[in-house]
Coordinates of all heavy atoms in Angstrom, one line a residue:
M5 N -3.2 -0.2 22.4 CA -3.9 0.9 23.0 C -3.0 1.6 24.1 O -3.1 2.9 24.2 CB -5.2 0.5 23.6 CG -6.3 0.0 22.6 SD -6.7 1.2 21.3 CE -7.3 2.6 22.3
A6 N -2.3 0.9 24.8 CA -1.4 1.5 25.8 C -0.4 2.4 25.2 O -0.1 3.5 25.7 CB -0.7 0.4 26.6
A7 N 0.2 2.0 24.1 CA 1.1 2.9 23.4 C 0.5 4.2 22.9 O 1.0 5.2 22.9 CB 1.8 2.1 22.2
L8 N -0.8 4.0 22.4 CA -1.5 5.2 21.9 C -1.8 6.2 23.0 O -1.7 7.4 22.9 CB -2.8 4.8 21.3 CG -2.7 4.3 19.8 CD1 -4.1 3.8 19.4 CD2 -2.3 5.4 18.9
E9 N -2.1 5.7 24.2 CA -2.4 6.5 25.3 C -1.2 7.3 25.8 O -1.3 8.4 26.3 CB -3.0 5.7 26.5 CG -4.4 5.2 26.2 CD -4.9 4.1 27.2 OE1 -4.2 3.9 28.2 OE2 -6.0 3.6 26.9
K10 N 0.0 6.7 25.6 CA 1.3 7.4 26.0 C 1.8 8.4 24.9 O 2.7 9.1 25.2 CB 2.3 6.3 26.3 CG 2.0 5.5 27.5 CD 3.1 4.4 27.6 CE 2.7 3.5 28.7 NZ 3.7 2.4 28.9
A11 N 1.2 8.3 23.7 CA 1.7 9.1 22.6 C 1.5 10.6 22.9 O 0.5 11.0 23.4 CB 1.0 8.7 21.3
T12 N 2.5 11.4 22.5 CA 2.4 12.9 22.7 C 2.2 13.6 21.4 O 1.9 14.8 21.4 CB 3.6 13.4 23.5 OG1 4.8 13.1 22.7 CG2 3.7 12.8 24.9
G13 N 2.5 12.9 20.3 CA 2.4 13.6 19.0 C 1.3 13.0 18.2 O 0.3 12.5 18.7
D14 N 1.4 13.0 16.9 CA 0.4 12.5 16.0 C 0.8 11.0 15.7 O 1.9 10.7 15.5 CB 0.4 13.2 14.7 CG 0.0 14.7 14.8 OD1 -0.5 15.1 15.9 OD2 0.1 15.5 13.9
V15 N -0.3 10.2 15.7 CA -0.1 8.7 15.4 C -1.0 8.4 14.2 O -2.2 8.8 14.2 CB -0.5 7.9 16.6 CG1 -0.4 6.4 16.2 CG2 0.4 8.2 17.8
V16 N -0.4 7.7 13.2 CA -1.1 7.3 12.0 C -1.0 5.8 11.8 O 0.1 5.3 11.9 CB -0.6 8.1 10.8 CG1 -1.2 7.6 9.5 CG2 -0.7 9.6 10.9
L17 N -2.1 5.1 11.5 CA -2.0 3.7 11.1 C -1.9 3.7 9.6 O -2.7 4.3 8.9 CB -3.3 3.0 11.5 CG -3.4 1.6 11.0 CD1 -2.4 0.7 11.7 CD2 -4.8 1.0 11.2
K18 N -0.8 3.1 9.1 CA -0.5 3.1 7.7 C -0.2 1.7 7.2 O 0.6 1.0 7.8 CB 0.7 4.0 7.4 CG 0.9 4.2 5.9 CD 2.0 5.2 5.7 CE 2.2 5.5 4.2 NZ 3.2 6.5 4.0
F19 N -0.9 1.3 6.1 CA -0.7 0.0 5.5 C -0.3 0.3 4.0 O -1.0 1.0 3.3 CB -1.9 -0.9 5.5 CG -1.8 -2.1 4.7 CD1 -1.1 -3.2 5.2 CD2 -2.2 -2.2 3.4 CE1 -1.0 -4.4 4.5 CE2 -2.0 -3.3 2.6 CZ -1.4 -4.4 3.2
E20 N 0.8 -0.2 3.6 CA 1.3 -0.1 2.2 C 1.3 -1.4 1.6 O 1.8 -2.4 2.1 CB 2.6 0.6 2.2 CG 2.6 2.0 2.7 CD 3.9 2.7 2.5 OE1 4.9 2.2 1.8 OE2 4.0 3.9 2.9
P21 N 0.7 -1.5 0.3 CA 0.5 -2.8 -0.3 C 1.8 -3.3 -1.0 O 2.8 -2.6 -1.1 CB -0.5 -2.5 -1.4 CG -0.3 -1.0 -1.7 CD 0.1 -0.4 -0.4
F22 N 1.7 -4.5 -1.5 CA 2.7 -5.2 -2.2 C 3.2 -4.3 -3.4 O 2.5 -3.7 -4.1 CB 2.0 -6.5 -2.8 CG 2.8 -7.2 -3.9 CD1 3.8 -8.0 -3.6 CD2 2.4 -6.9 -5.2 CE1 4.4 -8.7 -4.6 CE2 3.1 -7.6 -6.2 CZ 4.1 -8.5 -5.9
V23 N 4.5 -4.4 -3.6 CA 5.2 -3.7 -4.7 C 6.2 -4.7 -5.3 O 7.1 -5.2 -4.5 CB 5.8 -2.4 -4.4 CG1 6.5 -1.8 -5.6 CG2 4.8 -1.4 -3.8
L24 N 6.2 -4.9 -6.5 CA 7.3 -5.7 -7.2 C 7.9 -4.9 -8.3 O 7.2 -4.5 -9.2 CB 6.6 -7.0 -7.7 CG 7.5 -7.9 -8.6 CD1 8.6 -8.5 -7.7 CD2 6.7 -9.0 -9.3
H25 N 9.2 -4.7 -8.3 CA 9.9 -4.0 -9.4 C 10.6 -5.1 -10.2 O 11.3 -5.9 -9.7 CB 10.9 -3.1 -8.8 CG 10.3 -1.9 -8.1 ND1 10.2 -1.8 -6.8 CD2 9.7 -0.8 -8.6 CE1 9.6 -0.7 -6.4 NE2 9.3 0.0 -7.5
V26 N 10.4 -4.9 -11.5 CA 11.0 -5.9 -12.5 C 11.7 -5.1 -13.5 O 11.2 -4.2 -14.2 CB 9.9 -6.7 -13.2 CG1 10.5 -7.7 -14.2 CG2 9.1 -7.5 -12.2
Q27 N 13.0 -5.4 -13.7 CA 13.8 -4.7 -14.8 C 13.6 -5.5 -16.0 O 13.8 -6.7 -16.1 CB 15.3 -4.6 -14.4 CG 16.1 -3.8 -15.4 CD 17.5 -3.6 -15.0 OE1 17.9 -3.9 -13.9 NE2 18.3 -3.1 -16.0
C28 N 13.2 -4.8 -17.1 CA 12.9 -5.5 -18.4 C 14.0 -5.1 -19.4 O 14.5 -4.0 -19.4 CB 11.6 -5.1 -18.9 SG 10.2 -5.5 -17.8
Q29 N 14.3 -6.0 -20.3 CA 15.3 -5.8 -21.4 C 14.7 -4.9 -22.4 O 15.4 -4.0 -23.0 CB 15.8 -7.1 -22.0 CG 16.7 -7.8 -21.1 CD 17.3 -9.1 -21.8 OE1 16.7 -9.6 -22.7 NE2 18.4 -9.5 -21.3
E30 N 13.5 -5.1 -22.8 CA 12.8 -4.4 -23.9 C 11.6 -3.7 -23.4 O 10.9 -4.2 -22.5 CB 12.5 -5.3 -25.0 CG 13.7 -6.1 -25.6 CD 14.6 -5.2 -26.4 OE1 14.2 -4.1 -26.9 OE2 15.8 -5.5 -26.4
L31 N 11.2 -2.6 -24.0 CA 10.0 -1.9 -23.6 C 8.8 -2.8 -23.9 O 7.8 -2.7 -23.1 CB 9.9 -0.6 -24.4 CG 8.7 0.3 -24.0 CD1 8.7 0.7 -22.6 CD2 8.7 1.6 -24.9
Q32 N 8.8 -3.6 -24.9 CA 7.7 -4.5 -25.2 C 7.5 -5.5 -24.1 O 6.3 -5.8 -23.8 CB 8.0 -5.2 -26.5 CG 8.1 -4.3 -27.7 CD 8.8 -5.0 -28.9 OE1 9.9 -5.6 -28.6 NE2 8.4 -4.8 -30.1
D33 N 8.5 -5.9 -23.5 CA 8.4 -6.8 -22.3 C 7.7 -6.2 -21.2 O 6.8 -6.7 -20.5 CB 9.8 -7.3 -21.9 CG 10.5 -8.1 -23.0 OD1 9.9 -8.7 -23.8 OD2 11.8 -8.0 -23.0
A34 N 8.1 -4.9 -20.9 CA 7.5 -4.1 -19.8 C 6.0 -3.9 -20.1 O 5.2 -4.0 -19.2 CB 8.2 -2.8 -19.6
Q35 N 5.7 -3.6 -21.4 CA 4.3 -3.3 -21.7 C 3.4 -4.6 -21.6 O 2.3 -4.5 -21.1 CB 4.2 -2.8 -23.2 CG 4.8 -1.4 -23.3 CD 4.9 -1.0 -24.8 OE1 5.2 -1.8 -25.6 NE2 4.8 0.3 -25.0
L36 N 4.0 -5.7 -21.9 CA 3.3 -7.0 -21.8 C 3.0 -7.3 -20.3 O 1.9 -7.6 -19.9 CB 4.0 -8.1 -22.4 CG 3.4 -9.5 -22.3 CD1 2.0 -9.6 -22.9 CD2 4.3 -10.6 -22.9
L37 N 4.1 -7.1 -19.5 CA 3.9 -7.4 -18.1 C 3.0 -6.4 -17.4 O 2.2 -6.7 -16.6 CB 5.3 -7.3 -17.4 CG 5.3 -7.5 -15.9 CD1 4.8 -8.9 -15.5 CD2 6.8 -7.4 -15.4
H38 N 3.0 -5.1 -17.9 CA 2.1 -4.1 -17.4 C 0.6 -4.5 -17.7 O -0.3 -4.4 -16.8 CB 2.4 -2.8 -18.0 CG 1.5 -1.7 -17.5 ND1 0.4 -1.3 -18.2 CD2 1.5 -0.9 -16.4 CE1 -0.2 -0.3 -17.5 NE2 0.4 -0.1 -16.4
S39 N 0.4 -5.0 -18.9 CA -1.0 -5.4 -19.3 C -1.5 -6.6 -18.4 O -2.6 -6.6 -17.9 CB -1.0 -5.8 -20.7 OG -0.8 -4.8 -21.6
V40 N -0.6 -7.5 -18.1 CA -0.9 -8.7 -17.3 C -1.2 -8.2 -15.9 O -2.2 -8.6 -15.2 CB 0.2 -9.7 -17.3 CG1 0.0 -10.8 -16.3 CG2 0.3 -10.3 -18.7
A41 N -0.4 -7.3 -15.4 CA -0.6 -6.8 -14.0 C -1.9 -6.1 -13.8 O -2.6 -6.3 -12.9 CB 0.6 -5.9 -13.6
V42 N -2.2 -5.2 -14.8 CA -3.4 -4.4 -14.7 C -4.6 -5.3 -14.8 O -5.6 -5.2 -14.1 CB -3.5 -3.3 -15.7 CG1 -4.8 -2.6 -15.8 CG2 -2.4 -2.2 -15.4
D43 N -4.6 -6.3 -15.7 CA -5.7 -7.2 -15.9 C -5.9 -8.1 -14.7 O -6.9 -8.7 -14.5 CB -5.4 -8.1 -17.2 CG -5.6 -7.3 -18.5 OD1 -6.1 -6.2 -18.4 OD2 -5.1 -7.8 -19.5
S44 N -4.8 -8.3 -13.9 CA -4.9 -9.1 -12.7 C -5.3 -8.4 -11.5 O -5.3 -8.9 -10.4 CB -3.5 -9.8 -12.4 OG -3.1 -10.6 -13.5
G45 N -5.6 -7.1 -11.6 CA -6.1 -6.3 -10.5 C -5.1 -5.3 -9.9 O -5.4 -4.6 -9.0
F46 N -3.9 -5.3 -10.4 CA -2.8 -4.4 -9.9 C -2.9 -3.1 -10.7 O -2.1 -2.8 -11.5 CB -1.5 -5.0 -10.0 CG -1.3 -6.2 -9.1 CD1 -1.5 -7.5 -9.6 CD2 -1.1 -6.1 -7.7 CE1 -1.4 -8.6 -8.7 CE2 -1.0 -7.2 -6.9 CZ -1.2 -8.5 -7.4
R47 N -3.9 -2.3 -10.4 CA -4.3 -1.1 -11.2 C -3.3 0.1 -11.0 O -3.4 1.0 -11.8 CB -5.7 -0.6 -10.8 CG -6.7 -1.8 -10.8 CD -7.7 -1.5 -11.9 NE -8.8 -2.6 -11.9 CZ -8.7 -3.7 -12.6 NH1 -7.7 -3.9 -13.3 NH2 -9.7 -4.5 -12.5
N48 N -2.5 0.0 -10.0 CA -1.5 1.1 -9.8 C -0.2 0.9 -10.4 O 0.8 1.5 -9.9 CB -1.5 1.4 -8.3 CG -1.1 2.8 -8.0 OD1 -1.1 3.7 -8.8 ND2 -0.6 3.1 -6.8
S49 N -0.1 -0.1 -11.3 CA 1.2 -0.5 -11.9 C 1.7 0.6 -12.9 O 0.9 1.3 -13.4 CB 1.1 -1.8 -12.5 OG 0.7 -2.8 -11.6
G50 N 3.0 0.5 -13.2 CA 3.5 1.5 -14.2 C 4.9 1.1 -14.7 O 5.6 0.3 -14.1
I51 N 5.3 1.8 -15.7 CA 6.6 1.6 -16.4 C 7.4 2.9 -16.3 O 6.8 4.0 -16.6 CB 6.4 1.2 -17.9 CG1 5.6 -0.1 -18.0 CG2 7.7 1.1 -18.6 CD1 5.1 -0.4 -19.4
T52 N 8.6 2.8 -16.0 CA 9.5 4.0 -16.0 C 10.8 3.6 -16.8 O 11.2 2.5 -16.8 CB 10.0 4.4 -14.6 OG1 10.6 3.4 -14.0 CG2 8.8 4.9 -13.8
V53 N 11.3 4.6 -17.6 CA 12.5 4.4 -18.4 C 13.5 5.5 -17.9 O 13.2 6.7 -17.9 CB 12.2 4.6 -19.9 CG1 13.5 4.4 -20.7 CG2 11.1 3.6 -20.3
G54 N 14.6 5.0 -17.3 CA 15.6 5.9 -16.8 C 16.4 6.6 -17.9 O 16.3 6.2 -19.1
R55 N 17.2 7.5 -17.5 CA 18.1 8.3 -18.5 C 19.0 7.4 -19.2 O 19.3 7.6 -20.4 CB 18.9 9.4 -17.8 CG 18.0 10.5 -17.3 CD 18.9 11.5 -16.6 NE 18.0 12.5 -16.0 CZ 18.4 13.5 -15.2 NH1 19.7 13.5 -14.9 NH2 17.6 14.3 -14.6
G56 N 19.5 6.4 -18.6 CA 20.4 5.4 -19.2 C 19.7 4.3 -20.0 O 20.4 3.4 -20.5
G57 N 18.4 4.4 -20.1 CA 17.6 3.4 -20.9 C 17.2 2.2 -20.1 O 16.6 1.3 -20.6
K58 N 17.4 2.3 -18.7 CA 17.0 1.2 -17.9 C 15.4 1.2 -17.8 O 14.8 2.2 -17.5 CB 17.6 1.3 -16.5 CG 17.3 0.2 -15.5 CD 18.2 0.4 -14.3 CE 17.5 0.2 -13.0 NZ 18.4 0.3 -11.9
I59 N 14.8 0.1 -18.1 CA 13.4 -0.1 -18.1 C 12.9 -0.8 -16.9 O 13.3 -2.0 -16.7 CB 12.9 -0.8 -19.4 CG1 13.4 -0.1 -20.7 CG2 11.4 -0.9 -19.4 CD1 13.3 -0.9 -21.9
M60 N 12.1 -0.2 -16.1 CA 11.6 -0.8 -14.9 C 10.0 -0.8 -14.9 O 9.4 0.2 -15.3 CB 12.0 0.0 -13.6 CG 13.5 0.0 -13.3 SD 14.1 -1.6 -12.9 CE 13.3 -1.9 -11.4
M61 N 9.5 -2.0 -14.6 CA 8.1 -2.1 -14.5 C 7.7 -2.4 -13.0 O 8.3 -3.3 -12.4 CB 7.7 -3.3 -15.4 CG 6.2 -3.4 -15.7 SD 5.2 -3.5 -14.3 CE 3.6 -3.7 -14.7
A62 N 6.8 -1.6 -12.5 CA 6.4 -1.7 -11.1 C 5.0 -2.3 -11.0 O 4.1 -1.7 -11.6 CB 6.5 -0.4 -10.3
V63 N 4.9 -3.4 -10.3 CA 3.5 -4.0 -10.1 C 3.1 -3.6 -8.7 O 3.7 -3.9 -7.7 CB 3.6 -5.6 -10.2 CG1 2.3 -6.2 -9.9 CG2 4.2 -6.0 -11.5
R64 N 2.0 -2.8 -8.7 CA 1.5 -2.2 -7.5 C 0.0 -2.3 -7.4 O -0.7 -2.1 -8.4 CB 1.9 -0.7 -7.4 CG 3.3 -0.5 -7.2 CD 3.6 1.0 -7.1 NE 3.2 1.8 -8.2 CZ 4.0 2.4 -9.1 NH1 5.3 2.3 -8.8 NH2 3.6 3.0 -10.1
S65 N -0.5 -2.6 -6.2 CA -2.0 -2.6 -6.0 C -2.4 -1.3 -5.4 O -1.7 -0.4 -5.2 CB -2.4 -3.8 -5.1 OG -2.0 -3.5 -3.8
T66 N -3.7 -1.2 -5.3 CA -4.3 0.0 -4.7 C -4.8 -0.2 -3.3 O -5.7 0.6 -2.8 CB -5.5 0.5 -5.6 OG1 -6.4 -0.6 -5.7 CG2 -5.0 0.9 -7.0
H67 N -4.3 -1.2 -2.6 CA -4.8 -1.5 -1.3 C -4.2 -0.7 -0.2 O -3.7 -1.3 0.8 CB -4.6 -3.0 -1.0 CG -5.3 -3.9 -2.0 ND1 -4.7 -4.6 -3.0 CD2 -6.6 -4.2 -2.1 CE1 -5.5 -5.3 -3.7 NE2 -6.7 -5.1 -3.2
C68 N -4.1 0.6 -0.4 CA -3.5 1.5 0.7 C -4.5 1.8 1.8 O -5.7 1.7 1.6 CB -3.1 2.8 0.0 SG -1.9 2.6 -1.3
L69 N -3.9 2.1 2.9 CA -4.7 2.5 4.1 C -3.9 3.4 4.9 O -2.8 3.1 5.3 CB -5.2 1.3 4.9 CG -6.0 1.6 6.2 CD1 -7.4 2.1 5.8 CD2 -6.2 0.3 6.9
E70 N -4.4 4.6 5.2 CA -3.6 5.6 6.0 C -4.7 6.4 6.8 O -5.5 7.1 6.2 CB -2.8 6.5 5.2 CG -1.9 7.4 6.0 CD -0.8 8.1 5.2 OE1 -0.8 7.9 4.0 OE2 -0.1 8.9 5.8
V71 N -4.7 6.2 8.1 CA -5.7 6.8 9.0 C -5.1 7.4 10.2 O -4.4 6.7 10.9 CB -6.7 5.7 9.4 CG1 -7.8 6.3 10.3 CG2 -7.3 5.0 8.3
P72 N -5.3 8.7 10.4 CA -4.8 9.3 11.7 C -5.6 8.8 12.9 O -6.8 8.6 12.8 CB -5.1 10.8 11.5 CG -5.8 11.0 10.2 CD -6.0 9.7 9.5
L73 N -4.9 8.5 13.9 CA -5.5 8.0 15.2 C -5.5 9.0 16.3 O -6.4 9.1 17.1 CB -4.8 6.7 15.6 CG -4.8 5.5 14.6 CD1 -4.0 4.4 15.2 CD2 -6.2 5.1 14.2
S74 N -4.4 9.8 16.4 CA -4.3 10.8 17.4 C -3.6 12.0 16.9 O -2.9 12.0 15.9 CB -3.5 10.2 18.6 OG -2.1 10.1 18.3
H75 N -3.9 13.1 17.6 CA -3.4 14.4 17.2 C -2.9 15.1 18.4 O -3.7 15.4 19.4 CB -4.4 15.3 16.4 CG -3.9 16.6 16.0 ND1 -2.9 16.8 15.1 CD2 -4.3 17.8 16.4 CE1 -2.7 18.1 14.9 NE2 -3.5 18.7 15.7
K76 N -1.6 15.5 18.4 CA -1.0 16.1 19.6 C -1.2 15.4 20.9 O -1.5 16.0 21.9 CB -1.4 17.6 19.7 CG -1.0 18.4 18.5 CD -1.4 19.9 18.6 CE -1.0 20.7 17.4 NZ -1.4 22.1 17.5
G77 N -1.2 14.1 20.8 CA -1.4 13.2 22.0 C -2.8 12.9 22.3 O -3.1 12.1 23.2
K78 N -3.8 13.5 21.6 CA -5.2 13.3 21.9 C -5.7 12.2 21.0 O -5.7 12.4 19.7 CB -6.0 14.5 21.8 CG -7.5 14.3 22.1 CD -8.3 15.6 21.9 CE -9.7 15.2 22.2 NZ -10.6 16.2 21.7
L79 N -6.2 11.1 21.5 CA -6.8 10.0 20.7 C -8.1 10.5 20.1 O -9.0 11.1 20.7 CB -7.1 8.8 21.6 CG -7.6 7.5 20.9 CD1 -6.5 7.0 19.9 CD2 -7.9 6.5 21.9
M80 N -8.1 10.4 18.7 CA -9.2 11.0 18.0 C -10.3 10.0 17.6 O -11.3 10.3 17.0 CB -8.7 11.6 16.7 CG -7.6 12.7 16.9 SD -8.2 14.0 18.0 CE -9.3 14.9 16.9
V81 N -10.1 8.7 17.8 CA -11.0 7.6 17.5 C -11.2 6.7 18.6 O -10.4 6.7 19.6 CB -10.5 6.9 16.2 CG1 -10.4 7.8 15.0 CG2 -9.2 6.2 16.5
S82 N -12.2 5.8 18.5 CA -12.5 4.9 19.6 C -11.7 3.6 19.5 O -11.2 3.3 18.4 CB -14.0 4.5 19.6 OG -14.3 3.7 18.4
E83 N -11.6 2.9 20.6 CA -10.9 1.6 20.5 C -11.6 0.6 19.6 O -10.9 -0.1 18.9 CB -10.8 1.0 21.9 CG -10.0 -0.3 22.0 CD -9.8 -0.8 23.4 OE1 -10.1 0.0 24.4 OE2 -9.4 -1.9 23.6
E84 N -12.9 0.7 19.5 CA -13.6 -0.2 18.6 C -13.3 0.1 17.2 O -13.1 -0.8 16.3 CB -15.1 0.1 18.8 CG -16.0 -0.8 17.9 CD -17.5 -0.5 18.1 OE1 -17.8 0.5 18.9 OE2 -18.3 -1.2 17.5
Y85 N -13.1 1.4 16.8 CA -12.7 1.8 15.5 C -11.3 1.3 15.1 O -11.0 0.9 14.0 CB -12.8 3.3 15.3 CG -12.6 3.7 13.9 CD1 -13.4 3.3 12.8 CD2 -11.5 4.5 13.5 CE1 -13.2 3.7 11.5 CE2 -11.3 5.0 12.2 CZ -12.1 4.5 11.2 OH -11.9 4.9 9.9
I86 N -10.4 1.4 16.1 CA -9.0 0.9 15.9 C -9.0 -0.6 15.6 O -8.3 -1.1 14.7 CB -8.1 1.3 17.1 CG1 -7.9 2.8 17.1 CG2 -6.8 0.6 17.0 CD1 -7.3 3.3 18.4
E87 N -9.8 -1.3 16.4 CA -9.9 -2.8 16.1 C -10.5 -3.0 14.7 O -10.0 -4.0 14.0 CB -10.8 -3.4 17.2 CG -10.2 -3.4 18.6 CD -11.1 -3.9 19.7 OE1 -12.3 -4.4 19.3 OE2 -10.8 -3.8 20.8
F88 N -11.4 -2.2 14.3 CA -12.0 -2.4 12.9 C -10.9 -2.1 11.9 O -10.7 -2.9 10.9 CB -13.2 -1.4 12.7 CG -13.6 -1.3 11.3 CD1 -14.3 -2.3 10.7 CD2 -13.3 -0.2 10.6 CE1 -14.7 -2.2 9.4 CE2 -13.7 0.0 9.3 CZ -14.4 -1.1 8.6
L89 N -10.1 -1.0 12.1 CA -9.0 -0.7 11.2 C -8.0 -1.8 11.1 O -7.5 -2.1 10.0 CB -8.3 0.6 11.6 CG -9.1 1.9 11.4 CD1 -8.4 3.0 12.0 CD2 -9.5 2.1 9.9
I90 N -7.7 -2.4 12.2 CA -6.7 -3.5 12.2 C -7.2 -4.7 11.4 O -6.5 -5.3 10.7 CB -6.3 -3.9 13.7 CG1 -5.5 -2.7 14.3 CG2 -5.5 -5.2 13.7 CD1 -5.2 -2.8 15.7
H91 N -8.5 -5.0 11.6 CA -9.2 -6.0 10.8 C -9.1 -5.7 9.3 O -8.7 -6.6 8.5 CB -10.6 -6.2 11.3 CG -11.4 -7.2 10.5 ND1 -11.2 -8.6 10.6 CD2 -12.3 -7.0 9.5 CE1 -12.0 -9.2 9.8 NE2 -12.7 -8.3 9.1
V92 N -9.4 -4.5 8.9 CA -9.3 -4.1 7.5 C -7.8 -4.2 7.0 O -7.6 -4.8 5.9 CB -9.8 -2.7 7.3 CG1 -9.5 -2.2 5.9 CG2 -11.3 -2.6 7.6
A93 N -6.9 -3.8 7.8 CA -5.5 -3.9 7.4 C -5.0 -5.3 7.2 O -4.3 -5.7 6.3 CB -4.6 -3.2 8.4
N94 N -5.5 -6.2 8.1 CA -5.1 -7.6 8.0 C -5.8 -8.2 6.8 O -5.1 -9.1 6.2 CB -5.6 -8.4 9.3 CG -4.6 -8.1 10.5 OD1 -3.5 -7.7 10.3 ND2 -5.2 -8.2 11.7
Q95 N -7.0 -7.8 6.4 CA -7.6 -8.3 5.2 C -6.8 -7.9 4.0 O -6.6 -8.7 3.1 CB -9.0 -7.8 5.1 CG -10.0 -8.5 6.0 CD -11.4 -7.9 5.8 OE1 -11.6 -6.7 5.6 NE2 -12.4 -8.8 5.8
K96 N -6.3 -6.7 4.0 CA -5.5 -6.2 2.9 C -4.2 -7.0 2.8 O -3.7 -7.3 1.7 CB -5.2 -4.7 3.0 CG -6.5 -3.8 2.8 CD -6.2 -2.4 3.0 CE -7.4 -1.5 2.8 NZ -7.9 -1.5 1.5
M97 N -3.6 -7.3 3.9 CA -2.4 -8.1 3.9 C -2.7 -9.5 3.3 O -1.9 -10.0 2.5 CB -1.9 -8.3 5.4 CG -0.6 -9.1 5.4 SD 0.8 -8.3 4.5 CE 1.3 -7.1 5.7
E98 N -3.8 -10.1 3.6 CA -4.2 -11.4 3.0 C -4.3 -11.3 1.5 O -3.9 -12.1 0.8 CB -5.5 -11.9 3.7 CG -5.4 -12.4 5.1 CD -4.4 -13.6 5.2 OE1 -4.5 -14.5 4.3 OE2 -3.7 -13.6 6.1
E99 N -4.9 -10.1 1.1 CA -5.0 -9.9 -0.4 C -3.7 -9.8 -1.0 O -3.5 -10.2 -2.2 CB -5.8 -8.7 -0.7 CG -7.3 -8.8 -0.3 CD -8.1 -7.5 -0.5 OE1 -7.7 -6.7 -1.3 OE2 -9.1 -7.3 0.3
N100 N -2.7 -9.2 -0.3 CA -1.3 -9.2 -0.8 C -0.7 -10.6 -1.1 O 0.0 -10.8 -2.0 CB -0.4 -8.4 0.2 CG -0.4 -6.9 0.0 OD1 -0.7 -6.4 -1.1 ND2 -0.1 -6.2 1.0
I101 N -1.0 -11.4 -0.1 CA -0.5 -12.8 -0.2 C -1.0 -13.5 -1.4 O -0.4 -14.1 -2.2 CB -0.8 -13.6 1.1 CG1 0.0 -13.0 2.2 CG2 -0.4 -15.1 0.9 CD1 -0.4 -13.5 3.6

């Protein structure tokens, strides 16, 4: 809270979820891994194929959190709400584990 009170710009609380990149030899391997990831709850997963044929499968969850806290140095939310957000972010971190 002390750091927020001293802030002169915009402050955002941001939590980004687990991401795992896997290089696959065959597209079929990536498709199988993608199916397993989505079925396991990692709904934001995807496959990319580079120009050189490199096949990457990204396992990503949807547990994002991005909340503005202050604008131009003015705190826009209560301390109670910030404590709530930290609790939510910590729960999301536990889900990552």
Side-chain angles (χ1 to χ4, degrees):
M5 290 306 299
L8 278 174
E9 290 170 3
K10 294 177 185 176
T12 58
D14 296 351
V15 176
V16 175
L17 174 70
K18 185 172 185 178
F19 173 84
E20 294 188 4
F22 164 83
V23 178
L24 173 68
H25 291 99
V26 180
Q27 184 174 352
C28 301
Q29 287 185 336
E30 304 290 332
L31 184 57
Q32 296 158 320
D33 299 330
Q35 290 170 329
L36 177 61
L37 182 56
H38 181 264
S39 294
V40 170
V42 170
D43 291 344
S44 298
F46 294 96
R47 309 246 183 269
N48 203 19
S49 299
I51 300 170
T52 57
V53 180
R55 290 183 187 170
K58 184 167 135 179
I59 302 166
M60 294 295 293
M61 197 299 186
V63 179
R64 294 184 294 251
S65 74
T66 57
H67 298 105
C68 299
L69 178 67
E70 187 169 358
V71 182
L73 302 178
S74 71
H75 179 65
K76 295 182 181 176
K78 180 182 178 197
L79 188 61
M80 304 302 288
V81 297
S82 69
E83 185 174 347
E84 180 181 8
Y85 185 64
I86 293 170
E87 290 173 8
F88 168 75
L89 289 174
I90 291 170
H91 176 74
V92 170
N94 286 336
Q95 283 181 320
K96 290 178 181 291
M97 181 63 80
E98 288 296 319
E99 290 176 30
N100 273 335
I101 294 170

